[in-house]
Amino acid sequence: AQSVSQHNHHVILSEAASLELGCNYSYGGTVNLFWYVQYPGQHLQLLLKYFSGDPLVKGIKGFEAEFIKSKFSFNLRKPSVQWSDTAEYFCAVTSTSGTYKYIFGTGTRLKVLA
Amino acid sequence: NAGVTQTPKFQVLKTGQSMTLQCAQDMNHEYMSWYRQDPGMGLRLIHYSVGAGITDQGEVPNGYNVSRSTTEDFPLRLLSAAPSQTSVYFCASSSRNYGYTFGSGTRLTVV
């Protein structure tokens, strides 16, 4: 079955700490991978995406993610978090062919302490 | 560009009532989807469409119908509302080589 697992449901960090959020997927075939962010009371916004090429992708606001095909992983990282990064983060996967149906993880709620 | 527009933003229904959540996009995207978001469960796919006239079921389709008569519009119909359908509903659209653009959501309460 197709699925996305986000291992950390809640993460609390102090400002300037480094962040890594885990994402593993189970999805047959070649995939596209995404990270979305949802700030409190808002809708989801695209943070970064991987389609092909360099497995290290950079997104907005200093976020990056690394695609490791052998581990079926797409972990999100940021070297130094800010209070404004407090949000919920969702990993998503879809096939590069066929119906282009997205599957989302259950999300990781990040709280950054000032 | 308006992006993805969802209406209404808030709605309260009585059990057994029916209603339609509207979704429209002005980006000429071929892919559109409806998700529901519940605490601790992330986003679950209700129905999706890969183009006008083509729809398919997602993970949790029961109790919902969709149609896609035009590229722009993708309404979601609740046939007979139940308390279990209390949720936040998001519509999203995408072209093939880009991520989803989400609407601002509809917060639905069924009493």
Side-chain angles (χ1 to χ4, degrees), chain B residues 12 42 53 92 98:
Chain B
V12 179
Y98 199 74

mmCIF file of all heavy atoms in Angstrom, chain B residues 12 42 53 92 98:
data_model
loop_
_atom_site.group_PDB
_atom_site.id
_atom_site.type_symbol
_atom_site.label_atom_id
_atom_site.label_comp_id
_atom_site.label_asym_id
_atom_site.label_seq_id
_atom_site.Cartn_x
_atom_site.Cartn_y
_atom_site.Cartn_z
ATOM 1 N N VAL B 12 -21.952 25.405 9.318
ATOM 2 C CA VAL B 12 -22.516 24.507 10.321
ATOM 3 C C VAL B 12 -23.724 23.824 9.687
ATOM 4 O O VAL B 12 -24.604 24.495 9.150
ATOM 5 C CB VAL B 12 -22.933 25.253 11.600
ATOM 6 C CG1 VAL B 12 -23.549 24.276 12.600
ATOM 7 C CG2 VAL B 12 -21.748 25.972 12.222
ATOM 8 N N GLY B 42 -3.332 14.022 9.669
ATOM 9 C CA GLY B 42 -2.789 14.635 8.466
ATOM 10 C C GLY B 42 -3.876 14.966 7.470
ATOM 11 O O GLY B 42 -5.020 15.259 7.836
ATOM 12 N N GLY B 53 -14.155 16.034 -16.633
ATOM 13 C CA GLY B 53 -14.880 14.805 -16.938
ATOM 14 C C GLY B 53 -14.286 13.545 -16.339
ATOM 15 O O GLY B 53 -14.851 12.461 -16.476
ATOM 16 N N ALA B 92 -7.277 21.566 -3.673
ATOM 17 C CA ALA B 92 -5.958 21.879 -4.194
ATOM 18 C C ALA B 92 -5.918 21.606 -5.687
ATOM 19 O O ALA B 92 -6.642 20.738 -6.191
ATOM 20 C CB ALA B 92 -4.891 21.048 -3.478
ATOM 21 N N TYR B 98 4.536 20.575 -10.979
ATOM 22 C CA TYR B 98 4.622 21.481 -9.851
ATOM 23 C C TYR B 98 3.820 20.911 -8.711
ATOM 24 O O TYR B 98 2.993 20.026 -8.900
ATOM 25 C CB TYR B 98 4.111 22.868 -10.239
ATOM 26 C CG TYR B 98 4.580 23.941 -9.288
ATOM 27 C CD1 TYR B 98 5.898 24.377 -9.319
ATOM 28 C CD2 TYR B 98 3.710 24.505 -8.359
ATOM 29 C CE1 TYR B 98 6.344 25.336 -8.434
ATOM 30 C CE2 TYR B 98 4.149 25.467 -7.477
ATOM 31 C CZ TYR B 98 5.470 25.870 -7.520
ATOM 32 O OH TYR B 98 5.904 26.816 -6.645
#
